[in-house]
Amino acid sequence: MDLRIWAIVAGAIGLGFVGFLMRTILRESEGTEKMREISQAIRQGAMAFLRREFKTLGIFTVVLVIVLALLIPPKPWVGIAYLIGTLTSALAGFLGMNIATKANVRTANAAIGSWARALKIAFSSGAVMGFSVVGIGLLGLTAISLVFEDPHIWLGFAFGASAVALFLRVGGGIFTKSADVGADLVGKVEKGIPEDDPRNPAVIADQVGDNVGDIAGMGSDLYESYVSALAAAMVLGVIVFPIKGAILPLLLGAVGIGASIIGALLVRPGEFKGSFNQQVRKAHAVMNRGVYVSNGVMVVAGYFLITRFIGGEGLGLFLALVIGLLCGFGIGKVTEYFTSEHKPVFNIAKASKSGPAITIIEGLSTGMMSTVAPVIMIAAATVGAFFFAGLLGIAIAAVGMLINLGMLLAMDCYGPIADNAAGIAEMSGLGKEVRERAEALDAVGNTTAALGKGFAISSAALASLAWLAVYFEVAHISIASITNVNVIAGLLIGTMMTFLFSSLTMKGVSAGAFDVVNEVRRQFREIKGLMEGTAKPDYVSCVNIATSRALKAMLLPGILVIVVPLIIGFTLGVEAVAGLLAGALISGLVMAIMMANAGGAWDNAKKHIEAGFLGGKGSEAHKAAVIGDTVGDPLKDTAGPSLNILIKLIGKIAVIFAPLFLLFA
Amino acid sequence: MDLRIWAIVAGAIGLGFVGFLMRTILRESEGTEKMREISQAIRQGAMAFLRREFKTLGIFTVVLVIVLALLIPPKPWVGIAYLIGTLTSALAGFLGMNIATKANVRTANAAIGSWARALKIAFSSGAVMGFSVVGIGLLGLTAISLVFEDPHIWLGFAFGASAVALFLRVGGGIFTKSADVGADLVGKVEKGIPEDDPRNPAVIADQVGDNVGDIAGMGSDLYESYVSALAAAMVLGVIVFPIKGAILPLLLGAVGIGASIIGALLVRPGEFKGSFNQQVRKAHAVMNRGVYVSNGVMVVAGYFLITRFIGGEGLGLFLALVIGLLCGFGIGKVTEYFTSEHKPVFNIAKASKSGPAITIIEGLSTGMMSTVAPVIMIAAATVGAFFFAGLLGIAIAAVGMLINLGMLLAMDCYGPIADNAAGIAEMSGLGKEVRERAEALDAVGNTTAALGKGFAISSAALASLAWLAVYFEVAHISIASITNVNVIAGLLIGTMMTFLFSSLTMKGVSAGAFDVVNEVRRQFREIKGLMEGTAKPDYVSCVNIATSRALKAMLLPGILVIVVPLIIGFTLGVEAVAGLLAGALISGLVMAIMMANAGGAWDNAKKHIEAGFLGGKGSEAHKAAVIGDTVGDPLKDTAGPSLNILIKLIGKIAVIFAPLFLLFA
């Protein structure tokens, strides 16, 4: 019997677990009329965004399916696999976001009575995203590999996932920060009303942004990394170990789902009362336990699986797997050091006493400094994995980093759900104690979200390195030397792409925020009684403006990431494309870490001051810190995460179109 | 007779021109007692800084000379050549800065009577730096090549220049912005006194910074690029054209000095009266004429020289030379577009109406966008030069970019001298008309300074690419493929070095500014009558504090840039070092362009508002623009230019120590 049946079983169990979690979440009460109403508005906004995204994505997909089906051998199957990849990715994103928009209000309501129940609901909702991603991803890839033996078709499936990630991560990222920055600039700065005040017309758009950018965007991004890492390992695997090499990654995926379910089930917060900081630490500890256990289970189970299935030769692969796991874990620790209550954040808070300029300089240099350890770890992981198991080792290291994605993504998506819950608690005027409880959950969420960003970019980099190896295979490249000027030109242009892509996404945010600001100002001017709370704002128009802006702003970066590798491939040749991929990958990795950590550090420096240090809320230092935080917003939530997409998508394009480059060479 | 005699003659003519310029400058009057006093204080501060820099540099040099003399073959001559390189570079920096500290006050005084004379003095003083650099550089390198036939010794000479550049560019960059930001934060922001107000205790340190950072730093940086490009072309040249190949670059240098003198002599401003903007445009046009003519002369003379000396085969080299010239020119135009009165600057000014955060975001994304065209030009120049003349072509392109350095550096150094003159005019209370005239000269200086930065980084990148080619030769590398994980690790760490280096230099500035702020506050608190103008501040203590900070802050980056390539070379091997160089070169290039242009754009967006647009001085938009400008300061004047040093020095270390890597491999 084909052992891949176990991957099917594990995928099905993962989806069964999703069903179970959904049922427990939906059983919870949605609270008061007011809460339901707010939640409804967020939900409608998020779904409206998704509908418009998917409509444009649909056109894009049809065009690309036709191109692939007509041009890329084996015709038309790469095109078909691409389509399936797109549909499954969209499905996972939809499932996860759908439940998130239902869980937020339930988390807020549960926070009235119970800290533990609120935490549990938010985490479970994150787990729905996590296990939808791994369940659907593993099922889809296994099914494709059962039907088609040609590895090019497996790669086509992974390529399909990347288009959805482009739309949801880049588009969602621009949406979320346009709304957030726009809401804050008028609400907090001009009108002096608190964050999440229901009188602010952009407040719902801001909450929608958490769902579309941080949940659906994050989910689709990691779905893509997960499927890519597995597919790359399969393609490189069959070369080294015929047949078995293509099956092993799927079995590892199956074990990973099991390990993650065990970890997720261990997230059982007991009832807890304590100070704000104690609540934060406790919640963190509860979730960390799940991560540690699932990692431990994975290592043990992975050892037996690999050595039994492959034999003694498999030991190198096991070590590569562990290297990937450890690398992800280590980068998480570094991220935590730079973005939560430690010296770098305190230094930024201190710098804010000298005004906004020094705050920005200190934050930028902190972000840059934070790239050192992760880059060394990734370099060491690459060299180490290669030493133990060759190019396949790099792909297996990427699999190792992503293997517990079910559990890790649950933690990542927990953050924005808690954030939403805190927002709903604020908007629906629940008491101070409830709000504080919700905010403690949200504060943990900030750290897990920062960890999630570091993890997303590191895994994207490692998965892309594996795809670089795949590219060498499909483009028949044994050498792409930097003694070759075309490779240097590729490296130059790849690095420049990182800067261009970041520039475009940041400009998208500032243009979007500008429009949102104008709309919010208009409503405050034209709607009588809005400021007094006697009239209701038009939430929908803000959502629509941010949506239109996001779709418009992602057009050019989306086109560039597809067109540039094609131009380089057809003019400077396949080696130059290898340089392009390496340049984009490496600079994108370093830049994205810098942006994520600078943004996270600014955010928490502001929170540190708000907790009463250095003059507290309303002081000059606080004002400077707020400016730092606002600068950090598009860096950490738009430009940085968008670079994950750049480095992954550019690699996909190169791999898929390599046969054409060779034809024209 | 050896044709290199012409290089000696041209070098001597260059230095004779320096002597002539110095005499004309020193003939001018220093103005009133008060002006002389201020100028004296700046001069003493600058010399005190230089003395302390050179003392530390002395220890550093002795250690390195011993290491090189004992370890690097041919022993001890590489060490001796290194020492000579260091001494000549220090001499050029000293000459240029010395005259600058005498020309500033004479420029201010001349501005009382004559716009044209003031412009002429400032430009002539810049030309002293320009022709000291090319004259001493060409003489030194020619002499070394006449005495020693072993190319390794020529490379040692170039390496010597880079140590001086490290100290003056990085140390000077940290000094200048510590003083500038420190002076502004207390003076302008807290005390509300104007820029360059003599009551501000840090005002002299600020002026000193212009001299040590922007003049001595820029001069030593470009001395290094000039000598490196020539040496690389000689080393690669002898491989292709025995004997002649080593002589050609020196002859091109000789022709370049001639072309530059012609250009410089054409900078003859006629007397001119007009609005502020008309004065700016006129001054720009006068200097541009010199650049166009010297470029034109160079192209014609270069054609005859190359085709006569090398023969028909030399045509490819000529085309590479022209490519280098054009590339430098094109990058200058792009820099001008992004940093002077054009759409990008207007957009930043407009963004400042939405507050400081959006100003920062817009500036960062503008800086990122501005990297696109220069990177494409450098990639095209590299591919083109290689196409016409192989690896030697890349070195010749670098020579082409730097060949008119005498003229170009005169323009670059004109800026900070005009800036100083405007400061002296302000401090010594010369009338409004004089100040406006001096400020118009300063405004042109801002543009030429921005052009200078773009030019410095582009030429550093092209010269470093040529050194990468030299590295392949000396390390006997024919392939350094990105299919090799060690090369990937090198690329990763090289890219990370760019971020680490930037982080450290920026942190140096914020720490330095912090100390200066405290000292200035202390003086305002403790010195009675300071604010009223009845007591004098202690200027010297601010200079000393900034000096100590600068020397301390450059220690770690200086050590890293030397140690990291050695570690990589001894552990991961020569190919990994090639990756390291390429990674640092490419990411450093892109990052430095981003920083220089973002900083320049913020600066001019602020000036645009100060010219009366969008609410003018004192408006909310202006406050936001000032914050943008302050953030830009360390980016454009410290971190960005320091990256030139990183990419050049890391390449030198690799080339010089390559024999040891091979020994241990």
Side-chain angles (χ1 to χ4, degrees):
Chain A
M1 193 190 64
D2 194 320
L3 281 171
R4 277 173 287 188
I5 187 74
W6 293 109
I8 301 281
V9 169
I13 291 177
L15 291 183
F17 190 53
V18 166
F20 162 76
L21 291 168
M22 283 171 73
R23 238 173 40 125
T24 46
I25 294 165
L26 294 177
R27 262 207 311 259
E28 299 285 333
S29 156
E30 292 179 83
T32 65
E33 178 72 27
K34 175 128 199 182
M35 287 166 73
R36 261 209 299 281
E37 204 177 276
I38 294 166
S39 156
Q40 201 70 17
I42 297 173
R43 199 174 145 66
Q44 282 167 356
M47 288 302 161
F49 174 85
L50 218 57
R51 257 197 308 279
R52 283 186 59 185
E53 280 269 25
F54 282 169
K55 214 185 266 173
T56 319
L57 175 63
I59 301 167
F60 180 92
T61 305
V62 168
V63 173
L64 221 66
V65 167
I66 293 173
V67 169
L68 294 174
L70 293 178
L71 291 179
I72 305 295
K75 302 168 196 169
W77 301 112
V78 173
I80 305 285
Y82 173 85
L83 180 64
I84 300 173
T86 301
L87 293 175
T88 52
S89 171
L91 177 64
F94 173 81
L95 275 179
M97 198 189 84
N98 182 44
I99 202 73
T101 59
K102 290 176 176 169
N104 51 14
V105 65
R106 290 171 169 86
T107 303
N109 185 57
I112 298 174
S114 160
W115 178 84
R117 264 228 332 269
L119 171 58
K120 183 84 192 165
I121 295 171
F123 178 79
S124 297
S125 168
V128 169
M129 178 56 103
F131 289 93
S132 297
V133 162
V134 293
I136 295 176
L138 188 63
L139 276 179
L141 195 56
T142 309
I144 288 278
S145 85
L146 283 168
V147 178
F148 302 103
E149 281 189 7
D150 187 334
H152 292 94
I153 301 174
W154 313 340
L155 296 173
F157 176 78
F159 182 33
S162 60
V164 181
L166 169 67
F167 275 75
L168 290 184
R169 188 57 131 165
V170 181
I174 295 170
F175 180 101
T176 181
K177 290 301 124 173
S178 301
D180 186 8
V181 174
D184 286 355
L185 280 181
V186 184
K188 280 206 266 187
V189 180
E190 290 180 12
K191 297 286 169 186
I193 58 178
E195 184 148 0
D196 296 330
D197 191 300
R199 289 171 292 177
N200 191 330
V203 74
I204 293 291
D206 185 9
Q207 305 284 327
V208 169
D210 293 342
N211 287 287
V212 301
D214 301 344
I215 298 176
M218 175 73 95
S220 64
D221 185 356
L222 283 163
Y223 180 89
E224 208 270 2
S225 290
Y226 180 76
V227 170
S228 297
L230 289 176
M234 290 163 68
V235 171
L236 297 171
V238 278
I239 300 170
V240 188
F241 305 104
I243 305 178
K244 281 193 175 175
I247 297 175
L248 177 67
L250 298 171
L251 296 183
L252 285 171
V255 173
I257 290 181
S260 283
I261 290 180
I262 295 172
L265 288 174
L266 280 174
V267 179
R268 296 166 166 276
E271 208 49 71
F272 181 78
K273 274 194 194 303
S275 74
F276 186 86
N277 277 335
Q278 285 169 331
Q279 289 182 45
V280 170
R281 266 198 297 276
K282 179 79 185 169
H284 211 164
V286 167
M287 284 189 274
N288 269 340
R289 189 173 52 189
V291 173
Y292 287 122
V293 170
S294 60
N295 280 352
V297 170
M298 189 61 225
V299 170
V300 175
Y303 175 79
F304 286 106
L305 170 64
I306 293 176
T307 50
R308 292 282 165 94
F309 185 61
I310 301 284
E313 290 168 274
L315 193 66
L317 293 179
F318 170 69
L319 293 174
L321 186 84
V322 174
I323 284 174
L325 250 169
L326 284 179
C327 182
F329 185 77
I331 290 173
K333 287 287 149 197
V334 175
T335 309
E336 206 180 316
Y337 173 73
F338 276 97
T339 58
S340 57
E341 298 263 305
H342 296 282
K343 212 175 145 203
V345 166
F346 299 151
N347 280 344
I348 295 176
K350 238 192 295 176
S352 66
K353 291 198 76 166
S354 307
I358 301 286
T359 310
I360 304 291
I361 293 168
E362 186 65 28
L364 285 176
S365 72
T366 300
M368 288 175 176
M369 186 63 77
S370 77
T371 65
V372 175
V375 169
I376 292 176
M377 287 179 196
I378 287 186
T382 308
V383 172
F386 182 84
F387 176 77
F388 289 121
L391 286 179
L392 174 58
I394 296 173
I396 292 290
V399 169
M401 202 183 241
L402 286 154
I403 200 70
N404 273 325
L405 186 61
M407 176 65 209
L408 293 170
L409 195 49
M411 248 177 102
D412 294 348
C413 292
Y414 156 89
I417 294 163
D419 189 359
N420 251 248
I424 292 173
E426 168 80 34
M427 279 187 274
S428 45
L430 301 181
K432 186 169 171 292
E433 199 197 347
V434 180
R435 258 188 7 232
E436 204 186 280
R437 219 175 267 152
E439 267 165 27
L441 295 177
D442 180 20
V444 197
N446 275 326
T447 305
T448 61
L451 289 176
K453 272 163 214 148
F455 175 73
I457 176 63
S458 324
S459 58
L462 219 47
S464 298
L465 268 175
W467 271 72
L468 186 58
V470 172
Y471 175 73
F472 295 142
E473 286 301 326
V474 297
H476 308 307
I477 293 175
S478 58
I479 285 166
S481 173
I482 50 181
T483 53
N484 174 345
V485 285
N486 289 354
V487 174
I488 291 283
L491 283 167
L492 274 165
I493 291 172
T495 303
M496 175 271 274
M497 285 291 284
T498 291
F499 284 70
L500 173 56
F501 209 78
S502 302
S503 173
L504 290 171
T505 50
M506 283 164 71
K507 276 191 197 296
V509 172
S510 54
F514 188 79
D515 287 0
V516 171
V517 161
N518 282 339
E519 172 62 16
V520 174
R521 282 186 186 150
R522 185 194 66 77
Q523 291 198 23
F524 272 114
R525 202 171 51 233
E526 294 180 5
I527 302 178
K528 303 245 173 293
L530 182 52
M531 192 64 190
E532 297 72 32
T534 55
K536 275 182 66 176
D538 178 3
Y539 296 129
V540 177
S541 76
C542 288
V543 173
N544 286 342
I545 286 171
T547 305
S548 304
R549 266 291 170 188
L551 277 168
K552 209 171 130 191
M554 60 165 294
L555 198 68
L556 186 56
I559 291 173
L560 282 172
V561 72
I562 293 171
V563 169
V564 171
L566 297 179
I567 293 176
I568 301 289
F570 288 121
T571 58
L572 297 177
V574 284
E575 285 89 2
V577 173
L580 178 79
L581 302 190
L585 197 171
I586 290 169
S587 61
L589 165 70
V590 185
M591 186 80 119
I593 295 175
M594 189 273 260
M595 289 176 161
N597 291 349
W602 273 316
D603 193 346
N604 276 326
K606 182 195 70 175
K607 290 218 163 71
H608 179 71
I609 293 176
E610 286 174 352
F613 295 94
L614 300 162
K617 247 184 172 161
S619 63
E620 283 302 311
H622 183 242
K623 277 182 204 156
V626 168
I627 292 171
D629 181 36
T630 313
V631 171
D633 267 342
L635 296 187
K636 77 178 196 300
D637 292 322
T638 311
S642 294
L643 291 175
N644 305 355
I645 307 303
L646 168 70
I647 68 177
K648 292 191 296 186
L649 190 47
I650 209 168
K652 304 264 133 58
I653 300 279
V655 164
I656 298 293
F657 287 90
L660 294 190
F661 301 158
L662 291 173
L663 219 65
F664 281 77
Chain B
M1 195 189 63
D2 194 320
L3 281 171
R4 277 173 286 187
I5 188 76
W6 292 112
I8 300 282
V9 169
I13 291 177
L15 291 183
F17 190 53
V18 166
F20 162 76
L21 292 168
M22 281 171 74
R23 237 170 44 121
T24 46
I25 294 166
L26 294 177
R27 262 207 309 262
E28 299 285 333
S29 156
E30 291 179 83
T32 66
E33 178 72 26
K34 175 131 200 177
M35 289 166 73
R36 261 209 300 280
E37 204 178 279
I38 294 166
S39 156
Q40 201 69 15
I42 298 174
R43 199 174 145 63
Q44 280 166 357
M47 287 303 161
F49 175 83
L50 219 57
R51 257 196 308 277
R52 283 186 59 184
E53 281 268 27
F54 282 170
K55 214 185 267 174
T56 320
L57 176 63
I59 301 167
F60 180 91
T61 306
V62 168
V63 173
L64 222 67
V65 167
I66 293 173
V67 169
L68 295 174
L70 293 179
L71 292 178
I72 305 296
K75 300 169 197 170
W77 301 113
V78 172
I80 305 285
Y82 173 84
L83 180 64
I84 300 173
T86 302
L87 292 176
T88 51
S89 171
L91 177 65
F94 172 80
L95 276 178
M97 199 190 85
N98 182 46
I99 202 74
T101 60
K102 291 177 175 167
N104 51 15
V105 65
R106 291 170 168 87
T107 303
N109 186 57
I112 299 174
S114 158
W115 179 84
R117 260 228 334 269
L119 171 58
K120 182 83 192 167
I121 295 171
F123 177 80
S124 297
S125 168
V128 168
M129 178 57 102
F131 289 94
S132 296
V133 162
V134 293
I136 294 175
L138 189 63
L139 275 179
L141 196 55
T142 310
I144 287 278
S145 86
L146 283 168
V147 178
F148 301 103
E149 281 189 8
D150 186 333
H152 291 93
I153 301 174
W154 314 340
L155 298 172
F157 177 77
F159 181 33
S162 61
V164 181
L166 169 68
F167 275 76
L168 291 183
R169 188 57 129 164
V170 180
I174 295 170
F175 179 101
T176 182
K177 289 301 126 172
S178 299
D180 185 8
V181 174
D184 286 356
L185 280 181
V186 184
K188 279 205 267 188
V189 181
E190 290 180 12
K191 297 286 167 185
I193 57 178
E195 185 150 358
D196 296 329
D197 191 298
R199 289 172 292 176
N200 191 330
V203 73
I204 293 292
D206 185 9
Q207 305 285 328
V208 169
D210 293 343
N211 287 287
V212 300
D214 300 346
I215 298 179
M218 175 74 96
S220 63
D221 185 357
L222 283 163
Y223 179 88
E224 208 270 0
S225 291
Y226 181 76
V227 170
S228 298
L230 289 177
M234 289 163 69
V235 172
L236 297 170
V238 278
I239 300 170
V240 188
F241 304 104
I243 303 176
K244 280 193 177 177
I247 297 175
L248 177 68
L250 298 171
L251 297 181
L252 285 171
V255 173
I257 289 181
S260 282
I261 290 179
I262 295 172
L265 288 173
L266 280 173
V267 178
R268 298 167 166 275
E271 209 46 73
F272 182 77
K273 277 195 192 301
S275 74
F276 185 85
N277 277 336
Q278 285 169 329
Q279 288 181 44
V280 171
R281 266 198 297 276
K282 180 75 185 173
H284 211 166
V286 167
M287 285 189 274
N288 269 339
R289 188 173 52 188
V291 174
Y292 287 122
V293 171
S294 59
N295 279 351
V297 170
M298 188 62 226
V299 170
V300 176
Y303 175 79
F304 286 106
L305 171 65
I306 293 175
T307 50
R308 291 284 165 93
F309 184 61
I310 301 284
E313 291 168 272
L315 193 66
L317 292 180
F318 170 70
L319 293 175
L321 186 84
V322 174
I323 284 174
L325 251 171
L326 285 179
C327 182
F329 185 77
I331 291 174
K333 286 285 150 200
V334 175
T335 308
E336 204 178 321
Y337 173 74
F338 276 96
T339 59
S340 56
E341 297 264 304
H342 296 281
K343 212 176 144 202
V345 166
F346 299 151
N347 280 344
I348 295 176
K350 239 193 293 174
S352 66
K353 290 197 79 166
S354 307
I358 302 285
T359 310
I360 303 291
I361 294 168
E362 186 68 26
L364 284 175
S365 74
T366 300
M368 288 175 177
M369 186 63 79
S370 77
T371 66
V372 175
V375 170
I376 292 175
M377 286 180 198
I378 287 187
T382 308
V383 172
F386 182 84
F387 176 79
F388 289 121
L391 285 179
L392 175 58
I394 295 174
I396 293 290
V399 170
M401 203 183 241
L402 285 154
I403 200 70
N404 274 323
L405 186 61
M407 176 65 209
L408 293 170
L409 194 50
M411 249 177 101
D412 294 348
C413 292
Y414 156 89
I417 294 163
D419 190 356
N420 251 248
I424 292 173
E426 168 77 34
M427 279 188 273
S428 44
L430 302 180
K432 187 167 172 293
E433 199 197 348
V434 181
R435 250 172 32 215
E436 203 186 281
R437 218 176 266 153
E439 267 165 25
L441 296 178
D442 181 22
V444 197
N446 275 325
T447 306
T448 61
L451 290 175
K453 272 162 215 148
F455 176 73
I457 176 63
S458 324
S459 58
L462 220 48
S464 299
L465 268 174
W467 271 73
L468 186 57
V470 172
Y471 175 73
F472 294 143
E473 286 300 329
V474 296
H476 307 308
I477 293 175
S478 57
I479 286 166
S481 174
I482 51 182
T483 53
N484 174 346
V485 283
N486 289 353
V487 174
I488 291 282
L491 283 167
L492 274 164
I493 291 174
T495 304
M496 176 270 276
M497 283 291 285
T498 291
F499 285 70
L500 173 58
F501 209 78
S502 303
S503 173
L504 289 173
T505 49
M506 282 164 73
K507 275 191 197 296
V509 172
S510 54
F514 187 79
D515 287 358
V516 171
V517 162
N518 282 338
E519 171 62 16
V520 173
R521 281 185 188 151
R522 185 193 67 77
Q523 292 197 23
F524 272 115
R525 203 172 50 232
E526 293 180 5
I527 301 178
K528 303 247 173 294
L530 182 54
M531 193 66 190
E532 297 73 31
T534 54
K536 276 182 69 176
D538 177 6
Y539 296 130
V540 177
S541 76
C542 288
V543 172
N544 286 341
I545 286 171
T547 305
S548 303
R549 266 292 172 190
L551 277 168
K552 209 172 131 190
M554 60 165 294
L555 197 69
L556 186 55
I559 291 173
L560 282 172
V561 73
I562 293 172
V563 169
V564 170
L566 297 180
I567 293 175
I568 302 288
F570 289 123
T571 57
L572 297 177
V574 286
E575 286 89 2
V577 173
L580 178 80
L581 302 190
L585 197 170
I586 290 169
S587 60
L589 165 71
V590 185
M591 186 79 121
I593 295 175
M594 189 274 259
M595 288 177 163
N597 291 350
W602 273 317
D603 193 348
N604 277 326
K606 182 197 69 175
K607 290 218 162 69
H608 181 70
I609 293 177
E610 286 174 353
F613 296 94
L614 300 161
K617 247 183 173 163
S619 64
E620 282 303 311
H622 183 243
K623 278 182 204 156
V626 168
I627 292 171
D629 181 35
T630 312
V631 171
D633 267 341
L635 296 187
K636 75 177 197 302
D637 291 323
T638 310
S642 295
L643 290 174
N644 306 356
I645 307 302
L646 169 69
I647 68 176
K648 291 191 296 185
L649 190 47
I650 210 170
K652 304 262 132 61
I653 299 280
V655 164
I656 298 293
F657 288 91
L660 295 190
F661 301 158
L662 291 173
L663 220 63
F664 281 77

